[in-house]
């Protein structure tokens, strides 16, 4: 039995070393160049890029709080018509990578887009929404509208863990509503706020697709991306990546150890159950109105994307004046599209397999077997949360430059299948581990002990008892790994370098760059991708229900 | 059925905080043996060590001459009934019971016959296709028992199997479990914190506290001749009367106490330390006609409990609890006399 445990640990260690530690190490090794780092800090362009990245992260996170907090409070405190609908509505923004949403958003905010059409119709001057500072705010807004569900899910779970009697005790002692919120609710919410907030902060700090799509070049991630082509002659992007890694890891550590350790934890959980109240009269529709209003804003990019995909031409009108299926047909006949779907299916299928096997094995090691050093595997599996996609992608890229053996099997130019599958798998591993670990934690260990006690070996126990009992969690983990892999941006943009190997997202990006009907075809393609992710996330929500929030926690 | 030998078994999870101190125990073939003690005393850890789920720090466990200390749980032939039953919710009752047989490589028709026999033994012959979640607590408990019995274990382990049942069901299951164990001549080790369960079912009991065996014996021995204060009070209500002087005599041991001199049939505890006389409330006879150890007392308070009345009496400044059969009207402040038979006075270390 111990042999099996240590063999599993060894296999996992090989996986983590090869696809997580080695790439990060290579980035550090290549980027740790004092001259380069000094040069970066002396260059006003790079410093501006960093400041912009940081500003995007801070503003996006603040926006996310402004959106998610009222929603979470409304969900926790009030009973309102359509409350059950909120679980589905909340997930809607997640079904589209923000950079594809940006494609649709350009039709709303462009010079001849919807907003300006309305302004001109009202007799006001048109405004350049995507120029100057407008571009910064657009990037923040579109990222915030994509990321708020992550914080919302964390907040709702944190609210649910606060015993209503805590607030009642405060009320009983004469504290006002505001005082109760500030002194009781907020400190108890801290773990949820930090968990969701730090994921949003790191995510938006390292987001590549959205600023790239808006042509916002003075951002570190875009600067790194643009530097890839001349990497052989100018190794500066390595140092940029290293600086980004240090800042991200710092933010992660800060949230996990500095604040997380001292966060107040509710001693009694659940307690008397929900304390949600029903507001009498028409006011009971206010929480629903808030939810629908935010969902409407959040799905504007989706709507714009769908309208663009179906429009013949969309220029200077609020909605397109003519509709057609032309772009969908063109999308399917484009020589890049069908292979890219097949490529994405292959990469994501293998990635799902990697992620589920590695994730389940890690969860077993950490939650069940608890072998010596299990904590190391827990930390390793969570590391991709702190190491952003662009850094990992860059690490993989540098592997094939740095090591001879890697050039053979992991060369993005000859065949990036293994590289992309592993990169996708590692990126989604924390969610799979979380899903599997949650399943194991909710399953009494006695159920497995009973099987052993009746003569079943370790393998039979896992196959007949453990896996069937946590199958819902494993399926959710697999769905997450698969569907997010299908729409992964950073790895796809950086690691897929030949059109024969382009996955969907890279193909959408390439199509959007083609003048003329390119963006329209890209939008049509985006609609397919969106429907696909909507289906898988819907299935995951139904399977996991309220526990969905557990997946997006540090 | 094998005899179980436990030699020098100890366990600690945190340094300086032992769960079990080195202990020895043997459970005879066909014996229904109880490990009795309060929560956290180490009894469940000992059972889990026997099952193989916990590795002991020291010592060995043998079934007859076979040392099983390092044998994995699945090869021990020691089937366990878990406190929360641990029935697999994704399998039917039939599949739950058949699992152990399948693991042992048994196939139809023998498998089917064994499953049906096991289910009929626990009177659940008609529940094959049901899922455990659709069964009552008592029925789930029976399925758990059938699942353990189906594999014909060498040793049956039961971890507080009745603690989740209501009082009436518990009473009937006690009789049932004892009947099945005796019919099959099973060597069974049963963990509980419920003294009534232990006293009513066990062939022998080991009372455990703070990781140590305090006393081993038949229920009657433990109740009537407890080895120390802990065993005495854990097995039932008792009065401890401080003893000031002890002297051995022809008719037993004469002791001086705060309520007067009395004779005990038991020996004074070795070591010469402070001693007290332990008397059970039901062994104090109020208003006796005659006899040894007669004393005067005043009624302080009392409650009527149905078939008995419980009185608090005060004798020479010592408050004693008395259980009296039948209905007798007494008032606080009433004077009374009482007697204690010498064989019911047990001398224990303080």
């Amino acid at each position: 039995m111990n042999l099996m445990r240590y063999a599993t640990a060894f296999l996992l260690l090989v996986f983590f070393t090869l696809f997580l530690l080695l790439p990060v190490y290579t980035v550090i090794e290549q980027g740790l160049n004092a001259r380069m780092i000094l040069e970066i800090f002396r260059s006003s362009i790079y410093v501006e890029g960093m400041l912009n990245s940081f500003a995007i992260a801070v503003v996006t996170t603040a926006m996310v709080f402004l959106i998610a907090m009222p929603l979470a409070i409304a969900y926790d405190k009030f009973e309102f018509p359509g409350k059950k609908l909120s679980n589905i509505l909340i997930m809607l923004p997640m079904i589209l990578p923000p950079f594809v949403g940006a494609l649709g958003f350009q039709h709303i905010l462009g010079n001849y887009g919807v907003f300006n059409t309305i302004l001109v119709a009202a007799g006001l001057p048109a405004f350049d929404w995507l120029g100057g500072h407008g571009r910064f705010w657009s990037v923040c807004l579109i990222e915030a509208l994509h990321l708020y569900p992550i914080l919302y899910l964390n907040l709702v779970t944190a609210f649910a863990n606060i015993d209503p009697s805590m607030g009642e005790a405060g009320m009983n002692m004469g504290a006002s509503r505001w005082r109760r919120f500030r002194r009781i609710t907020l400190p108890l919410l801290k773990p949820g706020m930090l968990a969701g907030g730090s994921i949003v902060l790191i995510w938006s700090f390292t987001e590549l697709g959205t600023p790239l799509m808006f042509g916002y070049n003075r951002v570190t991630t875009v600067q790194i991306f643009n530097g890839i082509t001349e990497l052989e002659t100018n190794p500066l992007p390595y140092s940029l990546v290293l600086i980004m890694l240090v800042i991200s890891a710092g933010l992660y550590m800060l949230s996990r150890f500095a604040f997380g350790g001292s966060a107040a934890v509710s001693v009694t959980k659940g307690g008397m159950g929900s304390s949600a109240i029903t507001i009498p009269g028409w006011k009971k529709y206010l929480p629903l109105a808030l939810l629908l209003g935010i969902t409407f804003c959040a799905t504007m990019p989706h709507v714009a994307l769908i309208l663009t995909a179906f429009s013949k031409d969309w220029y200077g009108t609020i909605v397109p004046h003519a509709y057609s299926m032309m772009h969908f047909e063109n999308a399917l006949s484009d020589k890049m599209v069908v292979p890219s779907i097949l490529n994405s299916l292959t990469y994501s299928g293998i990635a799902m397999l990697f992620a589920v096997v590695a994730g389940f094995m890690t969860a077993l090691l950490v939650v069940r077997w608890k072998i010596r050093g299990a904590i190391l595997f827990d930390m390793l599996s969570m590391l991709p949360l702190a190491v952003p996609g662009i850094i990992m992608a860059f690490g993989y890229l540098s592997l094939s430059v740095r090591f001879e053996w890697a050039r053979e099997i992991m060369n993005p130019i000859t065949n990036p299948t293994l590289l992309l599958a592993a990169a996708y798998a590692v990126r989604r591993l924390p969610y799979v581990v979380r899903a599997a670990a949650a399943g194991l934690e909710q399953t009494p260990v006695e159920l497995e002990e009973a099987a052993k006690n009746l003569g079943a070996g370790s393998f039979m126990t896992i196959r007949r008892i453990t896996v069937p009992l946590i199958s819902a969690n494993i399926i959710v983990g697999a769905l997450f790994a698969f569907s997010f892999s299908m729409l992964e941006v950073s790895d796809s943009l950086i690691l897929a370098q030949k059109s024969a190997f382009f996955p969907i997202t890279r193909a959408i990006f390439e199509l959007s760059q083609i003048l003329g009907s390119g963006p329209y075809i890209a939008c049509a393609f985006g609609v397919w991708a969106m429907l696909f992710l909507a289906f898988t996330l819907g299935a995951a929500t139904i399977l996991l229900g309220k526990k969905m929030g557990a997946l997006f926690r540090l | 059925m094998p005899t179980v030998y436990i030699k020098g078994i100890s366990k600690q999870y945190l340094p300086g905080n032992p769960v079990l101190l080195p202990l020895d125990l043997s459970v005879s073939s066909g014996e229904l043996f109880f490990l009795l003690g309060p929560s956290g005393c180490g009894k469940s850890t000992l059972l889990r060590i026997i099952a193989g789920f916990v590795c002991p720090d020291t010592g060995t466990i043998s079934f007859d001459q076979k040392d099983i200390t390092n044998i994995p749980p699945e090869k021990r032939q020691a089937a366990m009934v878990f406190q929360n039953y641990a029935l697999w919710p994704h399998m039917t009752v039939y599949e739950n019971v058949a699992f152990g047989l399948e693991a042992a490589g048994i196939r139809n028709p023998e498998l089917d016959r064994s499953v049906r026999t096991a289910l009929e033994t626990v009177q659940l012959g008609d529940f094959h296709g049901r899922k455990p979640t659709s069964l009552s607590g008592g029925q789930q408990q029976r399925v758990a028992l059938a699942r353990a019995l189906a594999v014909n274990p060498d040793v049956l382990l039961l971890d507080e199997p009745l603690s989740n049942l209501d009082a009436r069901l518990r009473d009937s299951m006690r009789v049932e479990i004892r009947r099945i164990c005796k019919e099959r001549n099973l060597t069974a080790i049963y963990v509980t914190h419920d003294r009534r369960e232990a006293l009513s079912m066990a062939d022998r009991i080991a009372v455990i506290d703070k990781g140590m065996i305090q006393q081993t014996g038949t229920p009657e021995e433990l109740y009537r001749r407890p080895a120390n204060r802990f065993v005495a009070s854990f097995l039932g209500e008792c009065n401890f009367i401080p003893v000031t002087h002890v002297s051995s005599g022809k008719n037993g041991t004469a002791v001086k106490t705060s309520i007067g001199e009395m004779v005990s049939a038991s020996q004074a505890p070795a070591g010469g330390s402070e001693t007290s006389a332990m008397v059970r409330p039901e062994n104090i006879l109020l208003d006796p006609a005659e006899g040894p150890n007669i004393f005067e007392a005043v009624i302080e308070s009392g409650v009527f409990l149905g078939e008995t009345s419980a009185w608090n009496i005060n004798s020479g400044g010592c408050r004693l609890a008395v259980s009296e059969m039948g209905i007798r009207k007494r008032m606080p402040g009433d004077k009374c006399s009482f007697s204690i038979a010498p064989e019911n006075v047990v001398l224990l270390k303080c």
Side-chain angles (χ1 to χ4, degrees):
Chain A
M1 192 163 59
N2 274 343
L3 188 73
M4 181 171 162
R5 292 176 182 187
Y6 285 104
T8 307
F10 176 74
L11 282 177
L12 278 176
L13 206 58
V14 170
F15 178 78
F16 282 128
T17 308
L18 206 56
F19 295 114
L20 184 62
L21 296 177
L22 211 53
V24 174
Y25 165 77
T26 320
V27 164
I28 295 172
E29 193 203 27
Q30 304 265 343
L32 205 57
N33 180 327
R35 198 175 55 80
M36 288 288 171
I37 293 172
L38 266 178
E39 196 177 313
I40 287 169
F41 281 105
R42 280 201 195 116
S43 153
S44 61
I45 294 173
Y46 290 125
V47 171
E48 190 191 338
M50 272 186 264
L51 289 176
N52 284 340
S53 287
F54 200 74
I56 288 176
V58 172
V59 172
T60 304
T61 311
M63 283 180 170
V64 162
F65 266 94
L66 285 176
I67 299 170
M69 187 60 96
L71 274 180
I73 293 174
Y75 185 86
D76 187 67
K77 300 289 174 220
F78 306 112
E79 287 297 339
F80 55 87
K83 190 171 180 177
K84 281 185 183 156
L85 200 69
S86 59
N87 282 340
I88 296 168
L89 287 181
I90 283 298
M91 293 311 289
L92 277 182
M94 300 285 292
I95 60 170
L96 194 66
F99 98 101
V100 184
L103 207 58
F105 229 58
Q106 285 172 350
H107 277 277
I108 297 175
L109 297 175
N111 277 339
Y112 297 95
V114 177
F115 278 16
N116 277 350
T117 308
I118 295 172
L119 285 178
V120 171
L124 297 166
F127 184 78
D128 186 7
W129 301 94
L130 295 178
H133 286 305
R135 193 154 40 189
F136 170 82
W137 291 101
S138 302
V139 168
C140 294
L141 182 68
I142 201 158
E143 284 184 22
L145 287 175
H146 176 70
L147 296 175
Y148 76 84
I150 293 175
L151 182 67
Y152 169 84
L153 290 169
N154 273 286
L155 288 179
V156 165
T157 315
F159 267 122
N161 282 340
I162 299 177
D163 191 331
S165 64
M166 306 243 168
E168 285 166 4
M171 212 188 297
N172 180 255
M173 289 170 188
S176 67
R177 186 183 290 268
W178 168 241
R179 192 179 181 81
R180 289 201 307 273
F181 181 74
R182 197 168 49 85
R183 297 290 306 275
I184 299 167
T185 313
L186 220 49
L188 291 173
L189 275 184
K190 216 164 92 178
M193 279 165 43
L194 287 171
S198 49
I199 289 185
V200 171
L201 192 71
I202 294 170
W203 193 318
S204 49
F205 178 61
T206 56
E207 168 72 17
L208 166 65
T210 313
L212 189 67
M213 206 55 127
F214 277 115
Y216 193 18
N217 290 328
R218 290 283 167 90
V219 174
T220 308
T221 46
V222 180
Q223 287 169 338
I224 292 170
F225 180 72
N226 289 336
I228 291 176
T229 43
E230 51 192 56
L231 203 55
E232 304 263 319
T233 51
N234 180 11
L236 193 129
Y238 283 118
S239 298
L240 263 182
V241 170
L242 178 67
I243 292 169
M244 201 150 221
L245 173 68
V246 170
I247 298 176
S248 305
L251 290 174
Y252 177 82
M253 303 286 256
L254 199 70
S255 64
R256 179 149 185 162
F257 298 110
F259 296 122
S262 63
V265 177
S266 185
V267 180
T268 50
K269 292 200 168 185
M272 303 294 290
S274 170
S275 62
I277 53 164
T278 309
I279 320 168
W282 63 270
K283 283 184 181 171
K284 70 179 172 199
Y285 292 102
L286 283 178
L288 182 67
L290 178 74
L291 178 70
L292 289 177
I294 289 173
T295 310
F296 174 75
C297 294
T299 48
M300 265 198 316
H302 306 58
V303 175
L305 186 81
I306 295 168
L307 286 177
T308 313
F310 278 105
S311 66
K312 245 183 183 154
D313 198 11
W314 190 6
Y315 197 72
T317 50
I318 294 174
V319 289
H321 44 74
Y323 294 94
S324 145
M325 293 292 287
M326 182 175 71
H327 303 307
F328 287 93
E329 286 165 20
N330 287 345
L332 290 178
S333 62
D334 190 286
K335 67 179 188 320
M336 209 168 9
V337 169
V338 176
S340 77
I341 295 174
L342 293 177
N343 284 339
S344 270
L345 284 172
T346 312
Y347 305 151
S348 306
I350 303 173
M352 179 181 75
L353 208 67
F354 274 167
V356 166
V357 173
F360 178 65
M361 281 176 8
T362 309
L364 266 183
L365 271 184
V366 174
V367 179
R368 276 290 185 270
W369 297 345
K370 294 178 181 146
I371 61 160
R372 203 170 294 169
I375 182 81
L376 174 80
F377 289 93
D378 190 31
M379 286 164 72
L380 279 176
S381 69
M382 291 298 133
L383 198 61
L385 288 178
V387 185
I390 188 165
I391 293 166
M392 288 305 300
F394 224 78
Y396 291 123
L397 201 62
S398 48
L399 268 187
S400 60
V401 177
R402 173 75 176 71
F403 299 106
E404 191 66 38
W405 55 266
R407 209 163 298 158
E408 300 287 322
I409 54 167
M410 295 201 284
N411 193 330
I413 294 161
T414 44
N415 190 347
T417 304
L418 177 70
L419 209 50
L420 274 168
Y424 290 169
V426 167
R427 298 281 302 132
R428 301 302 155 203
L429 194 61
Y431 305 118
V432 183
V433 172
R434 277 275 181 269
L440 289 175
E441 275 159 6
Q442 286 153 10
T443 307
V445 68
E446 286 88 353
L447 294 175
E448 287 152 57
E449 286 179 350
K452 290 218 172 97
N453 180 254
L454 293 174
S458 293
F459 189 68
M460 183 178 180
T461 307
I462 290 173
R463 187 172 60 84
R464 293 278 308 271
I465 308 293
T466 317
V467 171
L469 283 176
I470 66 162
S471 57
N473 296 66
I474 293 179
I475 291 169
V476 169
L479 280 175
F480 255 80
F482 186 73
S483 54
F484 279 112
S485 296
M486 290 291 281
L487 298 178
E488 169 70 52
V489 179
S490 307
D491 291 320
S492 309
L493 292 185
I494 292 173
L495 294 175
Q497 299 184 351
K498 264 174 132 178
S499 66
F501 300 116
F502 280 176
I504 290 175
T505 38
R506 178 79 206 234
I508 290 178
F509 177 70
E510 292 296 324
L511 284 170
S512 72
Q513 304 296 306
I514 300 171
L515 290 176
S517 64
Y520 291 93
I521 299 173
C523 283
F525 198 13
V527 170
W528 283 120
M530 192 166 77
L531 286 176
F532 180 79
L533 201 55
F535 173 76
T536 44
L537 275 178
T541 309
I542 290 164
L543 275 171
L544 211 61
K546 275 188 177 177
K547 287 173 270 171
M548 196 75 162
L551 293 182
F552 292 102
R553 238 170 282 152
L554 284 177
Chain B
M1 292 297 146
T3 297
V4 178
Y5 297 101
I6 295 163
K7 283 183 191 154
I9 287 290
S10 72
K11 180 75 193 172
Q12 70 174 16
Y13 292 107
L14 298 170
N17 190 12
V19 181
L20 283 177
L21 292 163
L23 56 84
D24 299 312
L25 206 61
S26 69
V27 180
S28 310
S29 171
E31 189 174 34
L32 179 49
F33 189 88
F34 270 63
L35 299 173
L36 174 69
S39 298
C41 71
K43 58 189 188 301
S44 284
T45 303
L46 181 56
L47 196 76
R48 290 172 66 77
I49 289 174
I50 300 169
F53 298 133
V54 175
C55 265
D57 295 339
T58 61
T60 58
I61 301 199
S62 317
F63 290 174
D64 283 335
Q65 304 311 318
K66 187 179 168 196
D67 183 346
I68 58 146
T69 319
N70 296 315
I71 289 181
E74 61 266 28
K75 294 190 176 142
R76 290 200 178 193
Q77 292 284 319
M80 182 149 158
V81 178
F82 290 78
Q83 184 172 7
N84 60 3
Y85 317 135
L87 296 178
W88 302 302
H90 60 297
M91 296 185 191
T92 61
V93 166
Y94 186 97
E95 288 164 341
N96 262 279
V97 178
F99 184 89
L101 296 163
E102 284 171 24
I106 293 166
R107 299 286 173 263
N108 278 328
E110 196 187 338
L111 178 118
D112 187 59
R113 195 170 50 241
S114 301
V115 173
R116 285 175 195 282
T117 310
L119 282 172
E120 271 153 26
T121 309
V122 297
Q123 296 161 2
L124 283 179
D126 300 328
F127 288 73
H128 295 165
R130 299 267 292 269
K131 284 279 172 76
T133 42
S134 70
L135 303 179
S136 69
Q139 288 165 337
Q140 289 184 26
Q141 206 281 332
R142 282 161 196 258
V143 177
L145 187 59
R147 188 175 68 179
L149 292 174
V151 293
N152 269 325
D154 287 346
V155 177
L156 180 67
L157 306 174
L158 302 110
D159 187 6
E160 309 217 23
L162 306 182
S163 62
N164 292 331
L165 302 182
D166 63 52
R168 269 181 59 190
L169 203 54
R170 217 159 37 214
D171 286 345
S172 64
M173 283 307 294
R174 281 179 195 164
V175 177
E176 192 98 330
I177 290 176
R178 184 165 169 87
R179 175 184 66 79
I180 292 167
C181 287
K182 290 298 148 193
E183 267 177 17
R184 295 186 163 218
N185 193 31
L186 284 168
T187 305
I189 303 175
Y190 190 122
V191 161
T192 186
H193 65 270
D194 182 337
R195 64 188 167 93
R196 288 181 195 284
E197 209 162 284
L199 292 172
S200 63
M201 294 173 72
D203 292 327
R204 276 194 313 139
I205 302 170
V207 179
I208 303 183
D209 186 41
K210 293 178 185 139
M212 279 190 291
I213 293 180
Q214 303 293 324
Q215 190 177 3
T216 308
T218 64
E220 197 186 330
E221 276 167 8
L222 295 187
Y223 190 77
R224 293 178 61 84
R225 294 275 168 260
N228 55 39
R229 280 179 79 116
F230 175 80
V231 176
S233 46
F234 197 76
L235 286 180
E237 205 183 343
C238 42
N239 299 295
F240 293 103
I241 306 163
V243 170
T244 52
H245 185 262
V246 182
S247 59
S248 296
K250 258 193 249 167
N251 300 324
T253 312
V255 290
K256 278 186 189 161
T257 72
S258 55
I259 63 171
E261 283 193 22
M262 64 171 76
V263 179
S264 165
S266 77
Q267 298 288 316
S273 60
E274 284 185 35
T275 305
S276 56
M278 189 284 287
V279 182
R280 299 270 181 212
E282 69 273 19
N283 291 332
I284 298 179
L285 184 64
L286 292 180
D287 294 334
E290 56 181 8
N293 297 341
I294 293 187
F295 307 98
E296 296 297 320
V298 178
I299 302 283
E300 281 195 338
S301 62
V303 282
F304 172 60
L305 295 172
E307 67 267 36
T308 59
S309 297
W311 304 108
N312 280 319
I313 62 172
N314 193 318
S315 177
C318 182
R319 183 180 282 177
L320 301 171
V322 181
S323 176
E324 186 181 32
M325 290 295 287
I327 304 164
R328 185 92 187 263
K329 211 162 178 67
R330 300 178 191 276
M331 299 298 289
D334 284 357
K335 289 192 171 166
C336 64
S337 62
F338 66 95
S339 75
I340 310 165
E343 61 269 26
N344 291 329
V345 179
V346 182
L347 299 178
L348 300 171
K349 268 192 201 174
C350 274

